[in-house]
Amino acid sequence: MSSGGELALRQEYVIGDEIGRGRFGTVRRCYAVATGEAFAVKSTPKAPLREAEAADALDLALAEQEPKVHLVASAPGPGASPHVVALHAAFEDDAAVHLVVDLCAGGDLLSLVSSRGRLPEHEAADLVAQLASALASCHRRGVAHRDVKPDNLLFDGGGVLKLGDFGSAGWFGDGRPMTGLVGTPYYVAPEVVAGREYGEKVDVWSAGVVLYMMLSGTLPFYGATAAEVFQCVLRGNLRFPPRAFASVSPEAKDLMRRMLCKDVSRRFSADQVLRHPWIVSRGGAAVMG
């Protein structure tokens, strides 16, 4: 990682317009001075994280470890997936962390579903296959994303899905379990909400929620407040209301049951998702032609 922060960043990249904003930072378009190639730069100021209550101290720790974890997750080499947003450069000083990553100019999955509504099975299956490829690669390298949700599933200019924003990612590669209430209420796994130690299969649960949302336009676990959502997640009572799921195949529902399984020992891994018949046939696309 480079030192020097924003000054060093601006020596190597021309900073353009803002293209996104998160809870703590901003994402801007940027261009490499040497080649003119377009990227995105995510900048996270440290001051708001330091000034937050002690309970939020985890956010500062995550921001400072994000470059290292993201680099492990996206580095080229054996088992690398093309569906992980690549980290190209990182700059850090006392004021902020700046990460130069792939520019994904095609928007995100949340925008796609918001504009189109529920997706046909062959399209949802293809997107989940790309997501599972990203997760399987991260998990083989000892990284759990811990915030899989439609907002963090981005499309490049060619429509390829990429898993981005490793600001909540955790490292389990040395065999240690992960802890901490990290993630987004609607998508977080029950073992996280329960305050237990957990492993990488929390990502598969979140991906199952994403699949449910793509096929139905609704969420499986919801409530008026975060506390109500958490209670619903803890119950883990998975239903397929006929109004939303009348045309969804039994094979798709079978995969969702295996991904949204409260029993972690029985919940699918990302590799098992990739081998499920509904994914292999891309939602029956091979059968239907």
Side-chain angles (χ1 to χ4, degrees):
M1 185 189 312
S2 303
S3 59
E6 186 153 357
L7 178 60
L9 169 69
R10 290 182 179 275
Q11 288 175 340
E12 295 188 32
Y13 296 89
V14 176
I15 309 302
D17 54 316
E18 182 178 312
I19 55 176
R21 183 173 287 268
R23 189 158 64 109
F24 293 116
T26 58
V27 180
R28 294 168 290 178
R29 194 182 302 264
C30 68
Y31 305 88
V33 171
T35 65
E37 188 176 357
F39 297 95
V41 57
K42 175 187 175 185
S43 299
T44 305
K46 294 183 180 179
L49 303 178
R50 291 194 187 100
E51 294 162 4
E53 297 180 9
D56 293 327
L58 176 63
D59 291 316
L60 178 59
L62 289 173
E64 291 179 330
Q65 81 166 16
E66 181 180 358
K68 304 177 187 71
V69 176
H70 193 162
L71 184 61
V72 171
S74 69
S81 170
H83 301 292
V84 177
V85 169
L87 175 64
H88 297 276
F91 303 86
E92 182 179 6
D93 55 22
D94 288 341
V97 178
H98 307 279
L99 305 180
V100 178
V101 299
D102 289 339
L103 175 65
C104 293
D108 59 39
L109 183 62
L110 181 63
S111 301
L112 178 70
V113 176
S114 297
S115 63
R116 288 183 46 196
R118 64 185 72 173
L119 302 181
E121 288 196 29
H122 68 89
E123 190 171 349
D126 184 58
L127 292 172
V128 170
Q130 295 179 67
L131 172 55
S133 166
L135 293 177
S137 176
C138 291
H139 295 169
R140 281 193 293 270
R141 293 168 177 216
V143 173
H145 186 277
R146 298 201 297 183
D147 197 18
V148 175
K149 59 182 178 179
D151 325 41
N152 290 335
L153 302 177
L154 313 173
F155 295 101
D156 67 12
V160 174
L161 182 140
K162 291 178 179 271
L163 175 63
D165 194 345
F166 282 75
S168 297
W171 170 253
F172 67 92
D174 52 6
R176 79 178 78 170
M178 293 173 287
T179 58
L181 182 54
V182 178
T184 301
Y186 295 114
Y187 299 90
V188 72
E191 61 267 29
V192 177
V193 179
R196 301 198 301 268
E197 295 179 339
Y198 53 85
E200 73 279 8
K201 285 187 179 180
V202 296
D203 288 342
V204 176
W205 176 282
S206 302
V209 177
V210 171
L211 174 56
Y212 189 104
M213 184 212 68
M214 284 194 290
L215 291 176
S216 69
T218 62
L219 290 162
F221 312 108
Y222 53 89
T225 64
E228 289 183 11
V229 175
F230 287 148
Q231 286 302 312
C232 194
V233 168
L234 284 171
R235 287 193 294 271
N237 190 4
L238 183 63
R239 293 190 177 97
F240 299 111
R243 177 177 291 185
F245 284 92
S247 61
V248 174
S249 70
E251 293 79 9
K253 293 174 185 174
D254 178 74
L255 177 57
M256 283 183 278
R257 288 190 187 97
R258 295 173 186 274
M259 296 174 76
L260 294 167
C261 178
K262 277 186 66 178
D263 183 344
V264 180
S265 68
R266 293 174 52 236
R267 187 184 307 158
F268 264 15
S269 66
D271 278 319
Q272 285 175 306
V273 171
L274 286 169
R275 295 196 297 268
H276 189 274
W278 187 76
I279 294 294
V280 173
S281 71
R282 291 300 188 266
V287 176
M288 297 184 303

